Every structure is written in C-alpha cells, then in structure tokens.
Amino acid sequence: MAAWSDWKYYRIPNRLIIFGIVSGIMSLVFQAADLEAGSKIPWLLLALSGFLVRGVAVLVLGIFLHSLGMIGAADLKLVALLAAWLGFSETIKILCVGFILGAVWSLQKMLRYGSAFQRFLYLSAYIRQILSNKKIEKYYGNKVYMRGLIEFTNFCKNNCYYCGIRRDNKNASRYRLTEEEILDCCKNGYELGFRTFVLQGGEDPYFTDEKIVDIVKKIRNSYPDCAITLSIGEKTKESYRLYKEAGADRYLLRHETANEDHYRHLHPEQMSLANRKQCLRNLKELGYQTGAGFMVGAPGQTLECLAEDLIFLKELNPEMVGIGPFIPHHDTKFADEPAGSVELTLFLLSVLRIILPKCLLPATTALGTADPKGREKGLLAGANVVMPNLSPVKDRKKYELYDNKICTGDEAAECRVCLKNRVKSVGFELVEDRGDVAL
C-alpha cells in the first residue's frame, strides 16, 4: 500500500505508518501469547525494546541523511518502520530489491520519454566534476586567476559566418582604441590588481606588426611583472616571433573545430583549418603559452566533431583552452540557430580538466551569458580563470561577437568586486597573480 501511494501520489500518508506501527506491536503481543506464562512479559518487553531501538536508530541516521537531501521524510519513516518490525538484515535486503526495481523503472521511463542521454550527461558531469576538482587542486589549489581583457578593435578582415563583427556585417558599429587608450586600460587594470593583460581584437589590417610590437613593448616596459597575452588571429610565424621578442608571453587562437567539414560549414572558402592548426603549432614552437578552443553547440556540430576536438587538443597539449556555448548573433546567417547547451559545456570542461590537468581553463563570458550562474558552475566543473573586461565602457557593447553579452556596462572595478564575490561563493579564491601554467 505504501509503495502504491508513493508511486501514485508521491507521498506516504502518516496513517499508513501508524497502521504499520500498531500492526507490528500487535504481532509481538500475539507471539508472546503463545509462550509459557512465566516468560510472556519478559519476552514481550524485550521484543518491544528491540522494536523501539531499531526504529529510533534508523530515524537518527535518516534525519542526518534527510538534512543533506539524500532521503525524503516519507521514505525515512517507512524504512524506520521496516527496520523496527523486520530487523536490520531483512530491511537491507528489501532496500536492495527496491533500489533495483526503482532503477529498472526509471530506466524504462527515461527510454520512453527520450531523456536517457541527457540524464547520462548529468551523471557523467557530476562524476567528472569530482575528479576534475581533485585534478585542479593538485596543481593550482583553490586559486582562480583573473585576466584583464582589452578588446581594442572590432574591425576584422574575415567573414566567419557565426561572428557579429565579421567583415560583411554592415550594422556593426566599428571602433579602434588608440595606443594611449590601450595603455590607460592597462594602468587601470594594474591598479585593480590585474597581472595579465589580454589584447583581443579582430584581424584588423590597420594594426600592423610594427604597431603591435610597439604596443607590446610599451606594456612590457611599464609592467615588467605582468603577463601579456595576444588574441589577434592568424599571422605568419615571423609575425608571432616579432611579438614574442617584443615581450608577449601568451597567445590565444581558438581552433573553432577540428573537423574539416564542420569548419567549412562555419567559414568562407578563403579560410583554412589546416592553416589555423599550423598557426597553433607555430606558436607552440616559438615558446608561447598557447591557447586553443571551440564553441559548444555550434551549427552543424556533432558528437563526432566534439570527439575530434578533444583528440586534437590532447595532441596539441595547449597551456590554455577556452570553450563556451555557441550563442547566435542577430546579424549572422545562424541568427535563428539554437544556443549551445550549458550542461554539455560543463561536461566538456570537466573532461578537459581530466585529460589536460595542468591546463588553464577560463569560465568564459559566453558561459556567464548563457546562464546567470554559468561562471560559478564553470569553476565547479574544472575552470580556474576568469576574464573581466578592462575595455572602455563606451566601446564594450560594440565588441559584440554574439547577442546579449554580459558585463558591457560595468566599470572594471565593479566587475572585479562582483567576480571576487562570485568566485568566493563556490569555495575558490580570486588571486592577484600572473597565473602561469603549472610546470
């Protein structure tokens, strides 16, 4: 009756529990009646004591488990009644049978409603979260490193089909920061405790190698204790060498996808996956701390594509990997495509933490845009980097790779305080450190 009520109404009425207690006591009384006159009362008292002790013992343990959300109140009362009446051994047997029947019933429901794969992702992500947190603690403890992001140009010669600042988007409001504005961003960031500056922009022909080298040298001379990261797209090996000699330490270049067909689906014919991969290899050869990465849920992406991404990253062994859910931009051909899954992104972050344990993984802005708690969830899944925006507030909205990007109106100081509290809320510490990759 209790099982039927729990299945039908998701509750076990107290009257059934009371009925069970009374029935158990009456059963003991009837058993005592068959004994010899001199032993009835002592046996009955001993039996009732055992009935009470077993029930209370299970209740005490169960209340603790209930406080952790591991067992419902109705289930707790029923298990306590079973233990009181039948004893611990028989109760454990009943529970085991119940777990098996429940698992079979749940599996057929998941298969029936098509949710088995999604539930598998949740379970796998949970397991990998535990494993990945142990991996990250080994090399980085509970530290989370912050990078000061300076988006200095939204001009781009490329026409990537998913990108809001692609060349052919006539609705984009274009801008370039001056050298003075870039250095002011660094000054502001340094005063706020940032020790890594990330210069990110489209592939803008205006910023020649000479201009980039000049900017990098000035930042290096002004802030010798800081790391300088560039994220300005595909260049020749010689260009990368010049930037490195000027003082650049790191370079971010998402490979976007390791699958040729998928790459063709996302990019025009003029762009080459082979060249992009070669750029990453050149960066590694030149001694950069190199970052790659991809979008999760990009149009045309399959599970096979994701598997190829993971294999490529394992072979490349980059020092940084940036992944985030695909978010469509209204001025692209993919405007009506669905956004990528936050859950799958978190799952993949955990996988990356396991296969690249020393890697620096950002909890990306895209993750925070797709989910209000996305960055916190990212940290719990294995990420250990956040990237607040140091760009001038007047220009941030213009660097719109995708729709509804967060933190476009906050001052850098506000972003830093907000992130510090968010990081602390999930048990990590935001530190003022270059945050180089673990050796």
Side-chain angles (χ1 to χ4, degrees):
M1 289 178 64
W4 180 86
S5 177
D6 194 21
W7 172 76
K8 184 71 174 177
Y9 303 109
Y10 299 99
R11 62 188 297 269
I12 300 174
N14 285 332
R15 63 177 179 273
L16 287 180
I17 301 299
I18 294 172
F19 175 77
I21 294 173
V22 172
S23 298
I25 293 174
M26 291 303 298
S27 173
L28 295 176
V29 171
F30 288 137
Q31 291 179 58
D34 295 333
L35 301 175
E36 296 179 0
S39 59
K40 289 182 179 181
I41 299 301
W43 184 91
L44 181 59
L45 291 174
L46 183 62
L48 288 172
S49 297
F51 186 94
L52 179 63
V53 168
R54 289 192 296 272
V56 170
V58 172
L59 280 175
V60 170
L61 175 62
I63 289 172
F64 172 70
L65 297 177
H66 176 66
S67 69
L68 299 177
M70 298 175 66
I71 187 172
D75 297 326
L76 170 57
K77 291 182 289 185
L78 182 60
V79 173
L81 175 61
L82 290 172
W85 197 349
L86 303 175
F88 296 123
S89 178
E90 293 302 317
T91 299
I92 291 173
K93 292 178 183 178
I94 291 172
L95 288 176
C96 289
V97 172
F99 289 149
I100 294 171
L101 292 175
V104 172
W105 177 259
S106 298
L107 180 59
Q108 70 85 19
K109 283 190 70 175
M110 288 190 292
L111 293 173
R112 179 182 175 187
Y113 294 109
S115 61
F117 178 70
Q118 190 67 41
R119 295 290 179 178
F120 170 75
L121 284 182
Y122 292 154
L123 175 61
S124 299
Y126 177 72
I127 294 171
R128 283 166 174 75
Q129 177 179 311
I130 295 172
L131 293 173
S132 65
N133 282 340
K134 290 183 178 178
K135 289 277 188 180
I136 196 171
E137 286 174 6
K138 180 178 179 180
Y139 297 107
Y140 299 106
N142 71 335
K143 294 180 179 179
V144 172
Y145 304 104
M146 57 181 183
R147 316 305 201 196
L149 183 61
I150 304 171
E151 296 163 335
F152 67 99
T153 176
N154 72 345
F155 283 85
C156 189
K157 68 178 185 180
N158 294 326
N159 203 32
C160 305
Y161 298 144
Y162 52 83
C163 184
I165 64 169
R166 75 191 201 286
R167 182 193 64 220
D168 289 351
N169 183 8
K170 306 304 181 184
N171 295 321
S173 178
R174 304 293 180 177
Y175 76 95
R176 293 185 180 104
L177 298 187
T178 65
E179 182 179 286
E180 183 180 1
E181 286 177 312
I182 294 171
L183 295 174
D184 282 344
C185 292
C186 294
K187 181 176 183 294
N188 184 31
Y190 193 85
E191 291 171 352
L192 291 171
F194 289 86
R195 294 299 178 265
T196 291
F197 303 121
V198 181
L199 272 61
Q200 179 173 293
E203 293 191 24
D204 185 353
Y206 170 82
F207 283 98
T208 61
D209 287 350
E210 184 180 1
K211 286 186 172 70
I212 295 295
V213 165
D214 187 51
I215 292 169
V216 170
K217 282 183 176 180
K218 287 181 178 177
I219 296 173
R220 171 58 61 222
N221 291 334
S222 299
Y223 309 102
D225 56 330
C226 292
I228 301 173
T229 303
L230 298 177
S231 180
I232 51 177
E234 298 175 20
K235 305 289 183 180
T236 65
K237 188 172 184 179
E238 177 61 17
S239 295
Y240 291 147
R241 185 186 63 78
L242 291 173
Y243 308 154
K244 188 78 169 61
E245 291 175 351
D249 304 283
R250 306 171 185 152
Y251 203 102
L252 305 179
L253 181 68
R254 284 190 174 188
H255 66 279
E256 304 299 358
T257 176
N259 179 276
E260 180 64 39
D261 291 338
H262 189 217
Y263 189 87
R264 290 273 59 87
H265 185 65
L266 299 175
H267 301 89
E269 287 298 322
Q270 298 88 341
M271 300 184 69
S272 162
L273 176 58
N275 184 65
R276 202 163 187 88
K277 288 182 175 179
Q278 186 57 51
C279 285
L280 286 165
R281 295 186 182 101
N282 289 341
L283 290 164
K284 292 280 288 183
E285 289 174 10
L286 290 167
Y288 280 93
Q289 292 183 39
T290 305
F294 56 90
M295 296 178 291
V296 178
Q301 188 180 69
T302 64
L303 293 177
E304 287 76 12
C305 291
L306 291 174
E308 288 186 56
D309 286 322
L310 295 176
I311 292 170
F312 172 71
L313 289 170
K314 181 62 177 175
E315 292 173 349
L316 181 67
N317 193 29
E319 287 75 21
M320 302 167 283
V321 177
I323 69 169
F326 164 76
I327 301 175
H329 187 281
H330 61 278
D331 282 328
T332 68
K333 65 182 289 185
F334 298 131
D336 296 326
E337 292 288 334
S341 165
V342 170
E343 289 78 13
L344 183 55
T345 303
L346 297 173
F347 171 83
L348 291 167
L349 274 173
S350 293
V351 173
L352 286 166
R353 174 55 64 205
I354 292 169
I355 66 175
L356 299 170
K358 296 182 180 181
C359 188
L360 293 157
L361 291 175
T364 60
T365 305
L367 195 53
T369 300
D371 185 320
K373 294 287 185 181
R375 285 175 292 187
E376 290 93 322
K377 293 177 181 179
L379 294 175
L380 290 172
N384 62 337
V385 172
V386 290
M387 299 178 69
N389 205 323
L390 295 178
S391 308
V393 174
K394 65 181 178 64
D395 296 312
R396 288 189 200 171
K397 181 66 177 173
K398 300 173 187 175
Y399 200 85
E400 190 178 56
L401 306 181
Y402 49 82
D403 287 344
N404 304 313
K405 184 179 175 182
I406 59 171
C407 298
T408 57
D410 297 336
E411 294 290 346
E414 294 173 352
C415 280
R416 189 195 183 289
V417 172
C418 173
L419 271 178
K420 181 179 180 180
N421 292 333
R422 285 175 175 268
V423 168
K424 185 178 180 181
S425 73
V426 287
F428 294 90
E429 178 190 2
L430 192 65
V431 296
E432 297 181 3
D433 194 309
R434 278 174 53 111
D436 290 303
V437 69
L439 298 176

